[in-house]
Amino acid sequence: QGFDLVLRDAVLATAGDTCRADLGISDGRIVQIGQGLAKGLCEIDVAGRVVTPGGVDAHCHLDQPMAPPVKLADDFHTGTRSAVCGGTTTVIPFAAQRKGGTLQAAIDDYHQRAEGRACVDYAFHLILTDPTPAVLNEELPRLIEAGYTSFKLYMTYDALKLSDGQILDVLDVARTHGGMAMIHAENSDCIAWLTRRLEAAGRTAPRFHAVSRPTLVEREGAHRAIALSELIDVPILLVHISGGEAVAQIREARAKGLNVYAETCPQYILLTAADLGTDDSYFGARCVCSPPPRDKSSQEDIWQGLADGLFTVFSSDHSPFNLTGEDGKTPGGKEVAFRHIPNGIPGIETRMPLLYSEGVLGGRISLNRFVELTATQPARAYGLYPKKGTLAIGSDADLVIWEERDFTLDNAHLHHAVDYTPYAGMTLRAWPAMTLLRGQIVWDGTHFAGAPGQGQFLPRGLPSLAPPSARRGAQPAWR
Ligand code: DUC
Ligand code: ZN
Ligand code: ZN
Ligand code: ZN
């Protein structure tokens, strides 16, 4: 009973530990970790390089229908191909409920989109846009039971947003049945009001996107979302946190003992509002995302939260809109008012190399914290641990061997179907030399070596972060 594959002489990094050892794989799983393992059918000499768990990108958008003419450039094939080339072996994109439609219809639709195309293992978060009594009382509890254990709620965008009362209804279901509520926290009316004022003044260039969504609208949204979760006494996860003011709200909630988790993304440590342009030129459209990138001081606040444990997960929020083309950031090649520029930037492939380069090699976070943010905590938060997110006996052999070398990033290096990367021209200091999915080489450092259809759907358990707090003990009078 030899091993199918042995990784020889690796520096194995998990969220809790770093050690130099061999790693034995059979049937797609890690079966032994130790020194001097017996010979495998195949051997890879890692030669002292760092090996981490494959990344879990818990926030990305693939083949998600958008309001025409806007269209995502990546489907499950191109998006997940891009993911593995950057070290990510599990993705959790979103299945959005249509208003008037059921959650089941959304799930069925996304299974069809993913099946036969995904190159990495995948699950879906739901997006709840229409929490009818049938959804709250029947569908959502049933789907949580069936392994769809997380759902995103929007406080903004007319087509998606829920009222505070609707959010309370959904959080109450989350408390009773488990599941993780992810909240997009921005004050919708402030954004709409500012957008109208800016347009009335003729201020429609891309850079005014950031002016229409100042940091206080995120601070207010975060504050309100935290209050709603405190009222119900249920954990929430605040997605794509961009600014220091929201970070302060989360710190205050944590200090009170509330189970408020948070996510941030590469754009909030590497871009600023200046990347949307300093004049009215349209070039800045490429960096339009929501929430928008902030300033240098917010970047420092985000880094601090990454370093000290405030942030739970580090995701890409990969939103693959082409810069040019019929349906992209310049629809039909036309320059349009910022209101019509699709919100989001690509980043599924660059997420891990950017954090490894700037965070680990830049001396801002430890290698173990890197693993925790990019793999272990996302797996725990969304019910995939310990199958995914760590190096342990019995875990899937999803692995990244890291190569530390400097190079200048260019979009031609990337494997997405998007015609740009906002990080072009940056010096990266590391990139995966190899990515393995369940023991199979899917990226060899030069070429994508996987295949569409090899990714498997992952039914999920409940979050394995802290349970709802029992601080108050007694049931509230309304329950
Ligand atoms: N929220 C996201 O999660 N992604 C893109 C845009 C947005 O507002
Ligand atoms: Zn969002
Ligand atoms: Zn998103
Ligand atoms: Zn290639």
Side-chain angles (χ1 to χ4, degrees):
Q1 46 96 217
F3 303 108
D4 293 346
L5 172 66
V6 174
L7 265 56
R8 204 57 78 186
D9 191 25
V11 171
L12 301 173
T14 64
D17 189 28
T18 308
C19 68
R20 193 151 183 161
D22 305 336
L23 186 146
I25 297 167
S26 281
D27 298 322
R29 293 181 180 218
I30 298 170
V31 292
Q32 202 172 335
I33 294 172
Q35 269 140 14
L37 293 196
K39 211 165 159 47
L41 292 174
C42 290
E43 297 254 332
I44 295 171
D45 182 11
V46 178
R49 281 177 293 185
V50 168
V51 173
T52 65
V56 178
D57 193 344
H59 186 153
C60 54
H61 303 268
L62 300 175
D63 204 13
Q64 190 179 323
M66 300 277 138
V70 175
K71 204 170 165 291
L72 291 186
D74 280 317
D75 65 7
F76 276 82
H77 173 205
T78 61
T80 59
R81 174 185 71 193
S82 183
V84 291
C85 300
T88 289
T89 49
T90 299
V91 297
I92 317 180
F94 294 88
Q97 178 192 21
R98 286 174 197 279
K99 278 207 170 134
T102 62
L103 298 178
Q104 188 64 51
I107 294 282
D108 292 344
D109 179 27
Y110 279 78
H111 274 290
Q112 267 191 15
R113 292 168 188 270
E115 212 167 295
R117 293 192 186 87
C119 310
V120 302
D121 292 353
Y122 59 95
F124 306 118
H125 305 292
L126 294 158
I127 292 175
L128 263 68
T129 59
D130 200 0
T132 60
V135 164
L136 294 168
N137 301 327
E138 293 152 36
E139 269 212 297
L140 187 53
R142 176 171 60 74
L143 287 172
I144 291 172
E145 198 79 17
Y148 302 89
T149 52
S150 51
F151 28 89
K152 185 173 175 189
L153 314 177
Y154 283 81
M155 294 177 122
T156 188
Y157 296 120
D158 287 340
L160 303 170
K161 72 180 178 189
L162 304 186
S163 68
D164 290 356
Q166 289 175 311
I167 292 173
L168 288 172
D169 280 340
V170 178
L171 292 181
D172 195 33
V173 174
R175 191 182 199 281
T176 307
H177 299 275
M180 179 63 84
M182 311 161 72
I183 302 189
H184 177 132
E186 285 186 302
N187 183 304
S188 184
D189 281 3
C190 288
I191 296 167
W193 189 90
L194 286 164
T195 300
R196 284 195 302 273
R197 285 295 170 108
L198 287 164
E199 287 184 336
R203 297 175 180 166
T204 62
R207 70 185 168 109
F208 293 108
H209 171 76
V211 182
S212 77
R213 310 176 92 105
T215 186
L216 83 83
V217 311
E218 181 184 52
R219 180 237 295 163
E220 191 282 329
H223 183 92
R224 185 155 37 101
I226 290 165
L228 300 179
S229 89
E230 184 178 5
L231 177 59
I232 302 295
D233 190 13
V234 67
I236 54 167
L237 190 146
L238 296 171
V239 293
H240 49 51
I241 292 297
S242 66
E245 294 196 28
V247 167
Q249 295 295 320
I250 297 161
R251 281 201 192 283
E252 193 183 310
R254 288 282 189 85
K256 279 165 88 175
L258 301 177
N259 287 324
V260 173
Y261 302 107
E263 170 197 80
T264 193
C265 314
Q267 48 268 42
Y268 305 120
I269 46 175
L270 296 172
L271 303 178
T272 67
D275 290 302
L276 274 65
T278 48
D279 58 20
D280 287 355
S281 95
Y282 204 74
F283 187 65
R286 74 199 200 292
C287 290
V288 166
C289 58
S290 283
R294 306 296 180 183
D295 58 12
K296 290 278 171 205
S297 123
S298 264
Q299 288 184 341
E300 287 308 312
D301 294 335
I302 301 288
W303 273 120
Q304 182 61 36
L306 286 169
D308 69 19
L310 183 84
F311 285 108
T312 310
V313 299
F314 185 77
S315 310
S316 69
D317 199 1
H318 181 70
S319 303
F321 300 108
N322 275 320
L323 197 55
T324 53
E326 285 311 305
D327 38 28
K329 297 211 167 201
T330 54
K334 283 197 298 286
E335 298 184 1
V336 296
F338 71 81
R339 176 205 287 274
H340 301 292
I341 302 172
N343 289 187
I345 61 177
I348 202 166
E349 189 167 345
T350 44
R351 174 184 73 118
M352 295 183 72
L354 286 171
L355 191 62
Y356 197 108
S357 297
E358 295 288 311
V360 179
L361 300 179
R364 288 176 176 270
I365 61 170
S366 69
L367 180 58
N368 308 104
R369 181 71 177 137
F370 167 82
V371 173
E372 183 170 74
L373 284 161
T374 56
T376 313
Q377 293 279 49
R380 283 196 184 120
Y382 299 117
L384 292 170
Y385 187 84
K387 180 179 170 64
K388 301 296 187 186
T390 192
L391 306 179
I393 308 299
S395 295
D396 283 356
D398 297 347
L399 305 163
V400 185
I401 303 174
W402 289 91
E403 174 96 48
E404 297 180 9
R405 88 188 141 85
D406 288 9
F407 70 101
T408 305
L409 183 69
D410 185 271
N411 194 48
H413 295 135
L414 302 179
H415 300 74
H416 57 196
V418 188
D419 60 4
Y420 78 106
T421 168
Y423 309 111
M426 258 191 74
T427 300
L428 268 75
R429 303 176 61 188
W431 197 267
M434 193 176 282
T435 308
L436 292 92
L437 172 69
R438 285 180 270 102
Q440 304 286 319
I441 297 172
V442 286
W443 162 250
D444 68 7
T446 317
H447 292 106
F448 173 65
Q454 82 192 123
Q456 296 177 354
F457 174 70
L458 300 163
R460 294 182 286 130
L462 294 178
S464 53
L465 298 170
S469 77
R471 284 170 304 114
R472 285 185 286 281
Q475 289 283 331
W478 50 265
R479 191 174 300 271

